[in-house]
Every structure is written in structure tokens, then in C-alpha cells.
């Protein structure tokens, strides 16, 4: 009898608790979600118009970096915090929309990609609920990643976002940001057609470029990073900006070792990405 009565309880205790969402501010006008898979709308007052009518053709992925989802959504949806995002993807896969896609959400801050600095005007921002590096940085649950993939695919179709313009916050702001971080499974997204990715080259011993190096090789590295999109100068000196750009690159494309040192694997992976980018661009033109 004891066993019989315990069994269901133990199964039940393993079932994930559904986290209640914070209530939307009643003074904020609700809107229809742009994505059919967004289950809730919690409107944020923190947005403006996209500058010069710029249409979004980029997706920037973030993690919330806060201990709980309630606090994260409250921050994104409270006047005066000056931050927001178009979407929040919860750990259980639920998707909340906070800002209409047509509007300019405030998620990227000081940032740069492919010569553009007003990243908020050209992008859709997605916050993925994860406590982040300061709070233990847990793995991203599979169903959360599945939701991110489906959400991104819809946006890419509706907004004609090319795959190589699905990026991490750390890519567009390498000096300030780590999110979504090296645990984010970019390869899984790429397997579903979201984001540009190649298999990283294996890590092998050999010569490296690192902080302080001044050489033509450093200039070529900087030129390659800039060609891919990173906001970086091409002085030939491996300065702190170069180290942070390399670190951001590794978090996204070579996550097995994130140390800001340009080893052979980092350089080969970057070259492969650039080669794939030209091929991808041709494929888009041919379509
Ligand atoms: Zn971020």
C-alpha cells in the first residue's frame, strides 16, 4: 500500500512546475503577437520607431542573465529600465512577446556589425531565459532551444533575414557581452537552417597569435574578423579589442576553448566560415 501511494507522488514531483507569468501592466495596450507560436503578450513601454524606417534583417539572441524569469520579464517590461526585447523564450518553451516586431526594442546597446552601429534599428531581439555566467550558467533545455528555432525560422521567413545575420549579443558587442555564451547550441540551430555555422576545426598544438603580438598575421586575422562582421580595426596589433572579438568568435563558433588566443583551429574555422559565407551569398542570389 505504501509503495502504491508513493509511486504516483514521486512521478508527480518530477513533473515540471509551470511558472506563472508576471501579469501585464493594465495601463499598457495589448497587441496581437507577430509570431503564431507566441503564447502570451506582456507589452513593454521600452521601445521606439526604427530609425529611417529601417526594416529588421537581423536577429540578435541574448540570455536574460538573471536568477528568475519573473525578475527578467519585469525588467524588460517596466518603464525607466530602458531595456526590452521583442521576445522572451522561457525554459519550458513558452514564448512571450513584449514589443511588436515593427518597433525598435532596446536590447543591443552600444554595438556594431558589418559596419552598422544602430543594431536595435535593424534587428529583432530575443531574450532566452537562462541565469547566465554570473548565476551558474545552466544548460539550455532542449524544448527551449526547439522554441527558439521555430521562432527564428518564422521571423527569417517573414522578414527575409539571411542565416548569417542570426547572431549572439556577444558578436555585436564583444567588449561588453558574453550572451548567449559558449553553451548555446548554435550547431543545433544551424541543423534546422537557423544561423551560419561550420564544424569547428580540431584544436592542435602550434603557433598562436595573442595579446601583444604585432604582425602581418594579426592584420590578416583582423581583416578576416571584420569581413565576417565584427566591429574591429585592422592595425596589425593584437590589442584588447582583438582579443575580445576572438573570444566572442570562439564562444559562437569554436566553443571547445574560449580563451581569446587565435590558435590554428580558430583561424581555420574563421576561414571556413568566410568561404561558406561567399557560397551562401551566391545561393541567395541564385534563388
Ligand atoms: Zn544580451
Amino acid at each position: 500500500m505504501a509503495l502504491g501511494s508513493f509511486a504516483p507522488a514521486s512521478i508527480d514531483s518530477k513533473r515540471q512546475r509551470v511558472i506563472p507569468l508576471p501579469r501585464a501592466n493594465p495601463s499598457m495596450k495589448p497587441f496581437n503577437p507577430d509570431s503564431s507560436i507566441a503564447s502570451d503578450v506582456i507589452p513593454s513601454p521600452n521601445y521606439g520607431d526604427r530609425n529611417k524606417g529601417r526594416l529588421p534583417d537581423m536577429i540578435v539572441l541574448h540570455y536574460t542573465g538573471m536568477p528568475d524569469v519573473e525578475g527578467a520579464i519585469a525588467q524588460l517590461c517596466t518603464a525607466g529600465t530602458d531595456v526590452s526585447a521583442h521576445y522572451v523564450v522561457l525554459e519550458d518553451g513558452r514564448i512571450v512577446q513584449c514589443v511588436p516586431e515593427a518597433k525598435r526594442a532596446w536590447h543591443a546597446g552600444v554595438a556594431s556589425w558589418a559596419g552598422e552601429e544602430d543594431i536595435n534599428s535593424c534587428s529583432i531581439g530575443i531574450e532566452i531565459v537562462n541565469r547566465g555566467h554570473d548565476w551558474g550558467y545552466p544548460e539550455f533545455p532542449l524544448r527551449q532551444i526547439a522554441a527558439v528555432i521555430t521562432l527564428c525560422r518564422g521571423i527569417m521567413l517573414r522578414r527575409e533575414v539571411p542565416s548569417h545575420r542570426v547572431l549572439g549579443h556577444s558578436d555585436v558587442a564583444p567588449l561588453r557581452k558574453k550572451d548567449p555564451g559558449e553553451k548555446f547550441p548554435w550547431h543545433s540551430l544551424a541543423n534546422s537552417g537557423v544561423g551560419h555555422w561550420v564544424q569547428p576545426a580540431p584544436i592542435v598544438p602550434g603557433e598562436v597569435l595573442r595579446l601583444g603580438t604585432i604582425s602581418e598575421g594579426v592584420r590578416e586575422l583582423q581583416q578576416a574578423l571584420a569581413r565576417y562582421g565584427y566591429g574591429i580595426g585592422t592595425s596589425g596589433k593584437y590589442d584588447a579589442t582583438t582579443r575580445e572579438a576572438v573570444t566572442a568568435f570562439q564562444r559562437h563558433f569554436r566553443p571547445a576553448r574560449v580563451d581569446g588566443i587565435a590558435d590554428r583551429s580558430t583561424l581555420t574555422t574563421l576561414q571556413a566560415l568566410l568561404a561558406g559565407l561567399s557560397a551562401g551569398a551566391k545561393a541567395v542570389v541564385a534563388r
Side-chain angles (χ1 to χ4, degrees):
M1 189 194 97
L3 190 64
S5 61
F6 269 106
S10 84
I11 289 167
D12 198 46
S13 69
K14 281 183 186 160
R15 202 178 292 158
Q16 219 174 12
R17 190 173 59 92
V18 176
I19 304 163
L21 289 171
R23 215 171 291 196
N25 181 340
S27 67
M28 289 290 306
K29 216 170 114 219
F31 58 89
N32 288 327
D34 291 291
S35 166
S36 60
I37 59 163
S39 59
D40 299 85
V41 169
I42 302 181
S44 168
N46 304 332
Y47 67 86
D49 287 330
R50 294 183 182 274
N51 284 331
K52 297 180 187 147
R54 179 79 164 80
L55 294 173
D57 64 354
M58 177 191 281
I59 297 173
V60 179
L61 302 181
H62 304 256
Y63 66 44
T64 48
M66 290 180 69
D68 61 67
V69 61
E70 291 90 342
I73 290 182
Q75 190 183 39
L76 295 168
C77 298
T78 304
T81 63
D82 288 354
V83 292
S84 63
H86 295 91
Y87 294 97
V88 181
V89 181
L90 276 61
E91 285 155 302
D92 63 9
R94 276 179 298 167
I95 297 171
V96 179
Q97 187 164 2
C98 304
V99 175
E101 285 181 12
K103 297 297 181 183
R104 180 180 181 272
W106 303 338
H107 57 97
V110 176
S112 160
W113 190 258
E116 241 172 328
E117 297 198 338
D118 184 0
I119 298 301
N120 284 337
S121 277
C122 69
S123 66
I124 304 277
I126 301 176
E127 286 281 356
I128 301 163
V129 173
N130 182 296
R131 294 196 299 278
H133 290 86
D134 291 346
W135 303 90
Y137 195 28
E139 300 283 342
F140 294 87
L142 275 178
R143 55 178 141 182
Q144 185 181 34
I145 295 304
V148 170
I149 288 170
T150 312
L151 176 63
C152 286
R153 285 186 63 96
I155 297 168
M156 290 168 75
L157 276 170
R158 279 200 308 282
R159 303 278 173 192
E160 294 185 14
V161 177
S163 220
H164 64 270
R165 285 176 67 87
V166 181
L167 296 160
H169 197 187
S170 55
D171 291 314
V172 299
L175 289 172
R176 303 184 300 114
K177 295 295 175 180
K178 293 180 181 170
D179 60 319
E182 61 281 1
K183 285 187 183 172
F184 189 72
W186 289 102
H187 58 280
S188 299
L189 273 70
N191 285 343
S192 297
V194 178
H196 181 215
W197 201 77
V198 296
Q199 188 67 33
I203 297 171
V204 291
E207 280 200 31
V208 299
L209 304 172
R210 61 169 77 226
L211 190 65
T213 311
I214 302 173
S215 71
E216 203 44 46
V218 173
R219 194 190 308 279
E220 284 167 17
L221 163 69
Q222 290 167 330
Q223 285 167 345
L225 285 167
R227 227 169 82 218
Y228 198 69
Y230 289 91
I232 182 177
T234 55
S235 65
K237 177 162 195 251
Y238 205 111
D239 53 12
T241 306
T242 308
R243 183 186 60 193
E244 295 313 310
V246 169
T247 303
F249 175 83
Q250 290 170 335
R251 274 191 215 289
H252 187 155
F253 299 105
R254 209 288 304 273
R257 187 186 291 169
V258 180
D259 58 5
I261 295 171
D263 53 20
R264 178 53 45 200
S265 154
T266 303
L267 299 174
T268 308
T269 307
L270 175 56
Q271 291 304 337
L273 272 166
L274 283 167
L277 193 60
S278 327
K282 279 180 201 139
V284 168
V285 173
R287 197 137 34 98

